[in-house]
Amino acid sequence: MTVLDAQQLIDKLGHDLGAFLDKRNITEPLLVGVRTGGVWIAEQMQSILKSKEELGVLDITFYRDDFSRAGIQPTVKPSHLPLNITDRHIVLIDDVLYTGRTVRAALNEIFDYGRPASVSLAILVERNGRELPVQADVVGTRLSLDAAQHVQLSGPHPIVLEIVD
């Protein structure tokens, strides 16, 4: 097991996200975290970026393409986005980008709420193993891991990031 410096990666992600938004002249993005780890990171991004916007939260359980195969009843918590996201610039935030399936599910849910002006993707850890053509706009770190290795995030206070064999 390897422990990474989660706070350092979060700070880097926040700095890089701020620069990304400035470059695109996006001044009031709607930050949306994917439950659970993405919400913890989104809360910190909100603080780093000094955003006064309400934080959006997505629970993509029902949007997953493997939902019917999941077997046991999953725990589903409500999603929360502002009523009108049409023409808003959204920053979708998650902890790990692996296969791309979580991001696909999150995009499906976002578009059920409306048609945003743009959706950018900020990821704490991007790892190899993509199954869908999904690429993050801003990344805390990129890792090349064996198939048996997993990135595990626990938190929220403190956020701990581990690579588990």
Side-chain angles (χ1 to χ4, degrees):
M1 173 174 44
T2 304
V3 177
L4 302 174
D5 188 337
Q7 194 57 56
Q8 181 182 18
L9 292 176
I10 289 168
D11 291 343
K12 177 189 179 303
L13 183 66
H15 175 269
D16 292 352
L17 180 56
F20 174 85
L21 295 171
D22 285 346
K23 184 176 179 182
R24 282 157 183 77
N25 295 316
I26 298 173
T27 56
E28 295 180 17
L30 172 62
L31 304 179
V32 177
V34 178
R35 196 177 303 276
T36 299
V39 174
W40 299 339
I41 296 163
E43 289 169 345
Q44 293 208 25
M45 292 302 102
Q46 192 175 33
S47 175
I48 291 169
L49 298 173
K50 297 176 177 49
S51 173
K52 294 176 178 34
E53 295 289 319
E54 182 178 5
L55 184 67
V57 175
L58 291 180
D59 186 320
I60 53 97
T61 304
F62 287 127
Y63 288 81
R64 292 189 56 90
D65 58 8
D66 60 355
F67 177 73
S68 62
R69 292 187 281 165
I72 300 175
Q73 310 269 332
T75 302
V76 180
K77 296 182 178 170
S79 290
H80 173 75
L81 289 178
L83 290 178
N84 187 6
I85 66 163
T86 299
D87 296 328
R88 295 287 311 270
H89 293 282
I90 293 177
V91 178
L92 181 61
I93 301 170
D94 204 7
D95 52 358
V96 179
L97 175 56
Y98 182 24
T99 64
R101 294 182 181 280
T102 297
V103 173
R104 184 214 46 87
L107 288 170
N108 285 353
E109 185 168 359
I110 286 170
F111 278 86
D112 279 352
Y113 280 83
R115 187 175 190 277
S118 69
V119 180
S120 303
L121 180 60
I123 297 291
L124 187 62
V125 177
E126 182 180 77
R127 64 161 294 175
N128 55 315
R130 205 83 62 250
E131 295 174 3
L132 299 176
V134 173
Q135 177 179 334
D137 296 294
V138 185
V139 176
T141 190
R142 289 179 172 86
L143 301 175
S144 182
L145 302 176
D146 294 333
Q149 293 178 301
H150 301 283
V151 179
Q152 188 172 45
L153 189 78
S154 57
H157 303 290
I159 292 179
V160 177
L161 184 60
E162 300 172 317
I163 300 172
V164 182
D165 294 317

